[in-house]
Amino acid sequence: MTEVGHNSTRFAKDQLKAFVERIERLEEEKKTISDDIRDVYAEAKGSGFDVKALRAIIRRRKQDAQAAAEHELIVETYMNALGMLADTPLGRAAAERDLPNDNPRQAD
Amino acid sequence: MTEVGHNSTRFAKDQLKAFVERIERLEEEKKTISDDIRDVYAEAKGSGFDVKALRAIIRRRKQDAQAAAEHELIVETYMNALGMLADTPLGRAAAERDLPNDNPRQAD
Amino acid sequence: MTEVGHNSTRFAKDQLKAFVERIERLEEEKKTISDDIRDVYAEAKGSGFDVKALRAIIRRRKQDAQAAAEHELIVETYMNALGMLADTPLGRAAAERDLPNDNPRQAD
Amino acid sequence: MTEVGHNSTRFAKDQLKAFVERIERLEEEKKTISDDIRDVYAEAKGSGFDVKALRAIIRRRKQDAQAAAEHELIVETYMNALGMLADTPLGRAAAERDLPNDNPRQAD
DNA sequence: ACTGAAGGCTGCCCGC
DNA sequence: GCGGGCAGCCTTCAGT
């Protein structure tokens, strides 16, 4: 298997090497960004902010964004289930009102 | 190592066996519950409900509960940061108003 | 659509609520079990066992059990293909004897 | 506390907002990179490579790199302990020769 | 069968 | 120094 074997093997090897390099390059960039984020947190801490709270805020905002997206999904799903057209303003308003969105997780 | 070796080895082996059995027992129970959940979804589907929508509802309610818990955490953290007592109703109300909770993820 | 709308809607809503509650109840139980499992691992760690290794054991045994089940399935399939009855104790014993691989995870 | 409160509060709020925005911006960039990585894996898969194996390779190389770095650190520490200069090419070559373990992750 | 999310596990980092 | 908390990765499972 020395002497390069089949050409296809040679090709596969080059291809693999290229993929590995691309991925490792990207992971490096990703690490750079992660370090930057860490630095910003450190800087915030240096300005007197509580890092834990700051992280909580970031997390919360992300959650909110996700929840909004999910909400849209639910509305659309209900629309489809009800056989209504989802893109009319009146239909959306009606759907809003009917959602079982009242009290999440109350004690039983 | 036949003939039991040291007594401590024997003991460790028994202990290990006990742990493994406890864990496997619990995992079995867990699987049973998972199957039950699956059954309930199937039953709901049989009653004409859209499973996807139902899952979305469950997920949404869980998210809401988590968000509420997280919110509490943020409030408490801020309370501590401000050196206030978190368990007074007035303090909580004040904290509510000051949170940077305005518009999550607007376009820049 | 306030004022309860049709009775069928009211009924559907109650049914939906019931399903949601059943599922959430089960998910809670599931979480309890998961926490118990976590506790057992913690206890094992407290007794000096390496948690990672313990997890590996559990995983391995599960794989073995699955493999054994697949093995059984194959045996039965062959049996059926040969027009023999696989589900009698004697049939099973006979099948076992003819194959090189013993059965892991047997009762001790 | 509406009406902006103290100016210091106003300032803190602006500062906080700035930190939040910087972090969210960076997290967005990070997500972009992560998606790129995902895409590369997908492309590799499309070229017939086994993604799981590819990930294993990446992981392995990262470990090797870390091990090499640790190795370097130890060598330098020894060098310093011996009062020798570790950062000259000759010093490095000498150090390499004295140790049984070669260096993985060399350029090919 | 593949894709995408959800949960669990592992390795890292901070605080004690 | 380590033990707990946390973020990232992997695996598994639901959905298409």
Side-chain angles (χ1 to χ4, degrees):
Chain A
M1 231 280 217
T2 317
E3 285 297 326
V4 161
H6 305 319
N7 278 335
S8 62
T9 304
R10 168 83 257 171
F11 177 60
K13 197 176 168 185
D14 287 347
Q15 227 184 351
L16 176 62
K17 196 178 166 191
F19 280 126
V20 167
E21 279 168 5
R22 282 173 66 193
I23 292 168
E24 285 182 346
R25 176 71 202 281
L26 286 168
E27 299 240 316
E28 233 170 287
E29 290 182 31
K30 191 172 147 193
K31 189 177 186 329
T32 303
I33 310 268
S34 292
D35 291 345
D36 288 350
I37 293 173
R38 175 179 302 279
D39 288 347
V40 176
Y41 277 113
E43 190 184 335
K45 182 174 185 172
S47 300
F49 288 98
D50 179 54
V51 174
K52 188 174 173 182
L54 190 48
R55 281 186 190 278
I57 290 170
I58 299 287
R59 213 180 309 138
R60 184 43 146 59
R61 284 169 63 94
K62 194 191 285 181
Q63 266 196 354
D64 285 349
Q66 285 176 353
E70 182 107 26
H71 180 69
E72 282 307 308
L73 177 68
I74 293 178
V75 171
E76 283 191 26
T77 304
Y78 266 99
M79 283 305 177
N80 289 333
L82 295 173
M84 306 170 83
L85 299 182
D87 42 16
T88 67
L90 275 84
R92 293 191 52 168
E96 287 292 332
R97 184 179 295 132
D98 294 340
L99 278 176
N101 198 9
D102 44 323
N103 41 0
R105 195 47 76 83
Q106 80 283 17
D108 39 343
Chain B
M1 232 279 219
T2 317
E3 286 296 327
V4 161
H6 305 319
N7 278 334
S8 63
T9 304
R10 167 84 257 170
F11 177 61
K13 197 177 167 184
D14 287 347
Q15 228 184 350
L16 176 61
K17 197 179 165 191
F19 280 126
V20 168
E21 279 168 6
R22 282 173 66 192
I23 292 168
E24 285 183 346
R25 176 70 202 283
L26 286 167
E27 298 240 316
E28 236 170 284
E29 289 181 32
K30 192 172 146 192
K31 189 182 185 327
T32 302
I33 310 269
S34 292
D35 291 345
D36 287 350
I37 292 172
R38 175 183 299 277
D39 289 347
V40 176
Y41 277 112
E43 190 184 335
K45 181 174 187 172
S47 299
F49 288 98
D50 178 53
V51 174
K52 185 175 173 181
L54 189 48
R55 282 188 189 276
I57 291 171
I58 299 287
R59 211 180 313 137
R60 185 42 145 59
R61 284 169 62 95
K62 194 193 283 184
Q63 266 196 354
D64 286 349
Q66 285 177 352
E70 182 107 25
H71 181 69
E72 282 306 309
L73 177 68
I74 293 177
V75 171
E76 283 192 26
T77 304
Y78 267 100
M79 283 305 176
N80 289 331
L82 296 173
M84 307 170 80
L85 299 182
D87 42 17
T88 66
L90 275 85
R92 294 189 51 168
E96 287 291 333
R97 183 177 296 135
D98 293 340
L99 280 174
N101 198 12
D102 43 323
N103 44 357
R105 196 47 75 84
Q106 78 283 15
D108 38 345
Chain C
M1 235 253 225
T2 316
E3 286 295 329
V4 162
H6 307 320
N7 278 334
S8 63
T9 304
R10 167 85 256 169
F11 176 60
K13 198 176 169 185
D14 287 347
Q15 228 184 348
L16 176 62
K17 197 178 169 193
F19 279 126
V20 167
E21 279 168 5
R22 281 173 67 191
I23 291 168
E24 286 184 348
R25 177 70 201 281
L26 286 168
E27 298 238 319
E28 235 170 283
E29 289 181 32
K30 192 173 146 191
K31 190 183 186 322
T32 302
I33 309 268
S34 291
D35 291 346
D36 287 350
I37 292 173
R38 176 180 298 278
D39 288 347
V40 176
Y41 277 114
E43 191 184 334
K45 180 177 186 170
S47 298
F49 289 99
D50 179 56
V51 173
K52 192 173 172 180
L54 189 47
R55 285 187 189 276
I57 291 172
I58 299 287
R59 211 181 309 136
R60 178 68 185 283
R61 282 171 63 96
K62 193 191 285 182
Q63 283 175 358
D64 286 350
Q66 286 174 356
E70 282 180 33
H71 175 70
E72 282 306 309
L73 182 64
I74 293 173
V75 171
E76 285 195 23
T77 303
Y78 285 178
M79 283 302 187
N80 286 330
L82 295 173
M84 306 171 79
L85 298 182
D87 44 13
T88 65
L90 274 84
R92 293 190 53 171
E96 286 296 329
R97 184 177 299 130
D98 292 343
L99 289 156
N101 190 13
D102 61 339
N103 47 351
R105 192 65 191 296
Q106 82 285 12
D108 35 346
Chain D
M1 240 256 222
T2 316
E3 286 296 328
V4 162
H6 307 318
N7 278 335
S8 63
T9 304
R10 168 84 257 169
F11 177 60
K13 199 176 168 184
D14 287 348
Q15 228 184 349
L16 176 62
K17 198 178 169 193
F19 280 126
V20 167
E21 278 167 7
R22 281 173 66 193
I23 293 168
E24 286 183 348
R25 177 71 200 280
L26 286 168
E27 299 239 317
E28 236 169 284
E29 289 181 32
K30 193 172 145 193
K31 188 180 185 325
T32 302
I33 309 268
S34 292
D35 291 345
D36 288 350
I37 293 173
R38 174 182 300 279
D39 288 348
V40 176
Y41 278 114
E43 190 183 336
K45 180 175 186 170
S47 299
F49 289 99
D50 180 56
V51 174
K52 193 173 172 180
L54 189 48
R55 283 186 189 277
I57 289 172
I58 299 287
R59 209 182 309 134
R60 177 70 184 284
R61 283 171 63 98
K62 193 191 285 184
Q63 283 176 359
D64 286 350
Q66 285 174 355
E70 282 181 33
H71 175 71
E72 281 305 310
L73 181 65
I74 292 174
V75 171
E76 285 195 24
T77 303
Y78 286 177
M79 283 304 187
N80 287 330
L82 294 173
M84 306 170 79
L85 297 182
D87 44 12
T88 66
L90 274 83
R92 292 189 53 171
E96 285 297 326
R97 184 178 298 132
D98 292 343
L99 288 157
N101 191 12
D102 63 337
N103 49 348
R105 193 66 193 293
Q106 80 285 11
D108 35 350

